[in-house]
Amino acid sequence: MSVSIDIAGLRPERVAVVTSPLAELGMALHALSEPGHHPGLQGWVTSVTAGLDPHLADRMCEADFLWRTTFSDLFLPCAGIPGRAALPGATLAEELSLLDKLTDEQFVDAALEFTCALAYTSSGPAVLADPELRRRALELAAARGPQQVRFSERLLADPPRIRAWLRQFLEDCDEAFFAETWSRLRHQLAADARHKTDLLRRRGLAEALASVSPAVALDESAARITVDKLGDGHTATKDGGGLLLVPTSLGRPHLMVLHRYDWQPVLHYPVGSPALAAPPSVEQLTLRMAALSHPVRMRLCRSLARSAFTTGELTQVHGMTAPEISRHLSVLKKAGLVTTRRRGRYVLHQLDVTVVARLGSDFLEGVLR
């Protein structure tokens, strides 16, 4: 499972690393709505929530599905500008002007993404012009709750009114809490963007992508970027379009890939932290979860967590044959859960408790990535 970006014909000058205040505001709203995804932001979330005007808090709940369960592409409107080469604005005001440039059809399609009603990676009829799609969108919104139905009905009936509502809401959020937050974060994000840009110029795209995340890889022979995620998708930098890399500070652990049909591809990545170990790949995480799902291997782990054992010792302790023990140890070693070392003529196996201790956070990061 992964999201791939076909970059055949992509010119080096069309790759840009740039900050986006609107995208960071979107992540701020997400963190306020889902603080459990961002334990490192608890202090910031508590401070903002405590000082939030009740009326603004109510409005924040009115359309929170745009940033709670999915990160709406509306927060990266530059990607939808014709020509597939626009950059985010330097200020929130500039980015809201880019949001205004999206057509009503683009705005509505992106806003209705939470209903999963529309084709995302392929072309299709516009929901505003297709009665069947409108019916389907409202039907799927109903499964999410009455609030989503009301919003969807208003959006489909009067897109300009909802666009004006959203713009005013984002401006009010900026005044209430985001302007101060952005003034604090933008220097860190700008420094990261400069570093990635320098890597691009001096060492090429592969090095720059490797510094974005271990989950991002470039296959130069196939002219394809692959992002290791629990989901499938595909996009391309076709027709002379570009590729955007947008850093986020509030977004960790989410690694987003904007791959909407006919929009410019965007990698929205969390800025790195040397204190955090690289998360395992989705394949490695799957191997580890599967390895621990067997009751015999669970019992072996109980022994191996306490001390190092030879295969012969484990056969005695668990009343199994040596080939059976070896098969289970092989699964655990392949998953990276057990280490092996030699002491004279004996081979000792032991559980890597550091790796096991990280499984919970690795799993959470994998599903949120």
Side-chain angles (χ1 to χ4, degrees):
M1 290 180 287
S2 63
V3 177
S4 63
I5 305 173
D6 185 343
I7 59 169
L10 176 66
R11 301 196 304 272
E13 67 269 19
R14 300 307 295 272
V15 183
V17 191
V18 61
T19 62
S20 167
L22 181 56
E24 198 67 0
L25 174 52
M27 292 313 312
L29 291 168
H30 170 71
L32 291 170
S33 299
E34 286 287 0
H37 289 190
H38 308 273
L41 297 178
Q42 286 180 352
W44 177 83
V45 169
T46 300
S47 173
V48 171
T49 303
L52 210 57
D53 175 77
H55 179 58
L56 183 59
D58 289 342
R59 291 161 64 201
M60 192 176 294
C61 294
E62 193 171 340
D64 67 350
F65 37 81
L66 293 178
W67 49 79
R68 179 189 288 272
T69 57
T70 185
F71 184 71
S72 174
D73 294 341
L74 292 177
F75 290 103
L76 286 162
C78 62
I81 302 299
R84 300 159 61 90
L87 299 178
T91 66
L92 184 63
E94 290 178 16
E95 295 230 78
L96 292 178
S97 295
L98 290 174
L99 184 60
D100 289 341
K101 290 182 180 180
L102 297 181
T103 66
D104 282 349
E105 287 77 11
Q106 286 179 303
F107 184 91
V108 171
D109 284 0
L112 285 177
E113 183 185 334
F114 73 93
T115 68
C116 304
L118 306 167
Y120 188 84
T121 59
S122 59
S123 62
V127 67
L128 289 177
D130 190 309
E132 178 57 26
L133 273 182
R134 292 166 70 98
R135 183 198 64 77
R136 179 64 175 157
L138 292 173
E139 180 182 279
L140 291 171
R144 302 293 182 96
Q147 185 170 283
Q148 285 86 337
V149 173
R150 288 192 296 270
F151 180 87
S152 299
E153 289 174 340
R154 290 160 47 210
L155 177 65
L156 291 169
D158 191 357
R161 182 181 177 186
I162 293 298
R163 297 181 71 153
W165 177 92
L166 180 62
R167 181 183 179 115
Q168 185 61 58
F169 167 72
L170 295 174
E171 289 174 342
D172 291 345
C173 286
D174 185 50
E175 182 179 350
F177 65 87
F178 183 68
E180 187 276 332
T181 299
W182 179 247
S183 69
R184 191 166 40 82
L185 297 178
R186 63 187 178 92
H187 302 293
Q188 175 198 20
L189 296 178
D192 185 84
R194 286 193 299 271
H195 171 64
K196 299 289 191 298
T197 300
D198 186 55
L199 282 176
L200 271 170
R201 291 172 178 166
R202 292 189 298 107
R203 300 187 182 179
L205 183 58
E207 289 264 2
L209 292 175
S211 72
V212 163
S213 168
V216 182
L218 171 64
D219 184 340
E220 295 190 75
S221 62
R224 180 179 293 111
I225 297 169
T226 302
V227 185
D228 187 41
K229 289 175 68 71
L230 279 167
D232 295 302
H234 176 75
T235 188
T237 57
K238 59 183 181 180
D239 302 327
L243 171 68
L244 290 181
L245 310 181
V246 178
T248 171
S249 178
L250 300 176
R252 176 171 295 277
H254 306 299
L255 174 62
M256 309 290 189
V257 187
L258 193 161
H259 56 287
R260 180 178 293 278
Y261 178 79
D262 211 31
W263 285 40
Q264 183 177 194
V266 182
L267 278 174
H268 190 213
Y269 66 92
V271 292
S273 171
L276 295 172
S281 67
V282 170
E283 180 184 6
Q284 188 73 358
L285 182 60
T286 303
L287 280 175
R288 290 174 182 176
M289 302 295 284
L292 293 175
S293 67
H294 197 288
V296 170
R297 292 194 284 272
M298 288 283 284
R299 291 196 294 272
L300 285 175
C301 286
R302 185 175 187 273
S303 299
L304 297 173
R306 288 163 168 75
S307 182
F309 284 85
T310 66
T311 301
E313 289 174 322
L314 290 171
T315 63
Q316 297 296 319
V317 172
H318 294 275
M320 300 171 65
T321 66
E324 288 175 321
I325 292 292
S326 293
R327 281 197 299 272
H328 287 298
L329 285 174
S330 177
V331 173
L332 292 169
K333 284 190 283 187
K334 186 177 180 181
L337 299 172
V338 166
T339 60
T340 299
R341 70 178 190 274
R342 181 173 291 278
R343 189 178 64 197
R345 64 190 183 91
Y346 296 103
V347 176
L348 300 173
H349 312 285
Q350 191 162 19
L351 191 70
D352 190 331
V353 293
T354 303
V355 171
V356 176
R358 276 186 51 89
L359 267 178
S361 58
D362 285 344
F363 174 76
L364 186 60
E365 181 156 346
V367 297
L368 293 179
R369 186 188 298 158

